[in-house]
Amino acid sequence: MVSNNTYRGRFAPSPTGPLHFGSLIAAVGSYLDARTQGGEWLVRMEDVDTARNVPGAADAILQTLGDFGFEWDGAVLYQSSRFEAYAEALERLRRAGLAYGCACSRKEIADSATRPAVDGGLAYAGTCRAGLPDGREARAWRLRVDDEAIAFDDRVQGRVVQHLESDVGDFVLRRADGLFAYQLAVVVDDDFQGILQVVRGADLLASTPRQIWLQQCLGFATPGYAHLPVATNAVGEKLSKQTLARALASDSAAAELVRALGFLGQAVPADLGRATVAEVWGWARENWSFAAIPRRPAIIIPQA
Ligand code: GLU
C-alpha cells in the first residue's frame, strides 16, 4: 500500500465523445484509489489525436465529472498544449540514437511483417532501423526496442512480461500525419505531472511495457500500475464511443456511480441506488476495497 502524500493519480479521458459507463469505471477506480490513500487526483484531457477529437466533448466530459461529484486537483492539463514537450522528448531520443525516421507506407509495413503484435496489429519488421532507404524520406518516427524482458507487477492483473522486439517491434512516436503518438504523450505527461500511480482500463495493459521502455529511455521513473477490468458488450467489444455506449446522464449520477462500484466488485448495499451523489461517495470512501476488484481484464455487462 502506498503511503499518504506519496500518492498522485490521474484520470486521462480522450475527448472523442461524452463520458460513458466504460470510462466512468476508470474514473471511479482511479479516484477512490487516490482519495482513500489521501492522494491527489488529476484530470488530463488526452486530445493529442486532434483528428479524433469531437468538438465540445472535452467540456462535456468535465461537466459530467463535476455533476458526478468528482473533485480534481489543480487545472486540467490539455495534451493539445503540450506539443513542444513531446517534440523535445522525441529530439532527445533521436539524438541518443534511440528514435529513427521510418519511410515505410502502411502497405510496406504489412508486406514486410512476419508476426502479429500483442495488440492485434503487426509487429514492425525494422526495415528502416539501419537507415532510410536511398531517396526515401521519413514519414514517421519510431523508437528502437530490444528483446530484453520488460516485466511489471500490475496491482490488479498480476505480473505482465513482454519482449518488445518480438511482441511489438519498434513502435511509432510521431505518426506519418505529424501527430505525436499516444505512447509518447502519455509517458511525457505522466512524468511532467509527477504521477505515481496509474489506474486505468485493462485495454491499456498491453501498452504498459512500451511505456515503461520509453520511461527508461527518457530517464523517467516508472509509476505503479493497476489495470481495472473493462466493460464489454455481449460480443466482447469494449464499451466505447465506437460501440455506441450511451452518454451518462447527470440526473442518474448516483445510480450510475453505484453501478460502477458494483462492477468494481464493491459490496454496495441494495438501497444505495436511491441515495444522493454525496451519500454514494461517502459510502464509497468509507468502504472502498481495492482487494475486491475482480482480477480479470474484461467483464461483460448485459445491456451494452
Ligand atoms: N486517453 C486514454 C483513453 O481514454 C487513457 C490513457 C491512459 O489512462 O493512460 O483510453
Side-chain angles (χ1 to χ4, degrees), residues 49-258:
D49 188 348
T50 47
R52 288 185 61 222
N53 292 339
V54 170
D59 288 345
I61 288 172
L62 295 176
Q63 175 73 42
T64 306
L65 287 174
D67 293 345
F68 274 58
F70 290 93
E71 291 170 359
W72 53 90
D73 293 300
V76 174
L77 183 70
Y78 287 80
Q79 291 193 322
S80 52
S81 71
R82 299 271 303 145
F83 291 168
E84 269 176 42
Y86 309 147
E88 195 256 340
L90 176 58
E91 182 57 21
R92 273 175 58 202
L93 294 166
R94 204 186 59 78
R95 279 211 225 104
L98 291 162
Y100 64 86
C102 171
C104 294
S105 64
R106 241 175 240 272
K107 182 169 185 324
E108 287 167 326
I109 294 168
D111 289 349
S112 60
T114 53
R115 51 184 190 272
V118 275
D119 52 7
L122 291 165
Y124 181 59
T127 317
C128 295
R129 219 181 211 219
L132 289 171
D134 279 348
R136 300 282 302 267
E137 278 183 19
R139 293 160 44 88
W141 286 84
R142 288 182 183 272
L143 183 67
R144 208 176 274 278
V145 297
D146 63 26
D147 222 29
E148 296 291 309
I150 297 215
F152 68 101
D153 291 304
D154 188 82
R155 291 167 57 215
V156 177
Q157 308 292 339
R159 191 154 186 84
V160 176
V161 184
Q162 267 183 22
H163 295 82
L164 288 179
E165 193 163 326
S166 37
D167 289 339
V168 178
D170 294 344
F171 61 90
V172 172
L173 300 173
R174 187 169 197 167
R175 306 177 348 190
D177 60 9
L179 293 177
F180 291 98
Y182 156 71
Q183 308 290 357
L184 179 67
V186 77
V187 163
V188 169
D189 287 342
D190 280 340
D191 178 74
F192 174 69
Q193 295 190 288
I195 301 302
L196 296 167
Q197 291 292 330
V198 171
V199 180
R200 60 185 177 190
D203 51 314
L204 292 165
L205 193 63
S207 286
T208 307
R210 261 169 283 179
Q211 294 175 17
I212 292 174
W213 173 244
L214 252 176
Q215 287 154 1
Q216 291 173 359
C217 291
L218 287 163
F220 296 161
T222 291
Y225 287 98
H227 286 85
L228 306 171
V230 293
T232 69
N233 63 18
V235 292
E237 291 166 337
K238 181 180 83 131
L239 283 200
S240 66
K241 294 111 202 178
Q242 289 74 26
T243 56
L244 301 178
R246 65 190 165 78
L248 293 171
S250 291
D251 55 10
S252 45
E256 295 287 9
L257 288 170
V258 165

Side-chain angles (χ1 to χ4, degrees), residues 2-60:
V2 195
S3 66
N4 283 359
N5 78 11
T6 57
Y7 191 115
R8 183 181 283 171
R10 53 39 162 212
F11 174 56
S14 303
T16 53
L19 198 72
H20 55 84
F21 186 69
S23 31
L24 181 66
I25 292 162
V28 167
S30 60
Y31 189 67
L32 285 169
D33 193 50
R35 293 304 195 212
T36 56
Q37 296 181 67
E40 292 179 285
W41 186 75
L42 279 52
V43 173
R44 180 169 74 229
M45 203 47 77
E46 298 215 317
D47 54 355
V48 65
D49 188 348
T50 47
R52 288 185 61 222
N53 292 339
V54 170
D59 288 345

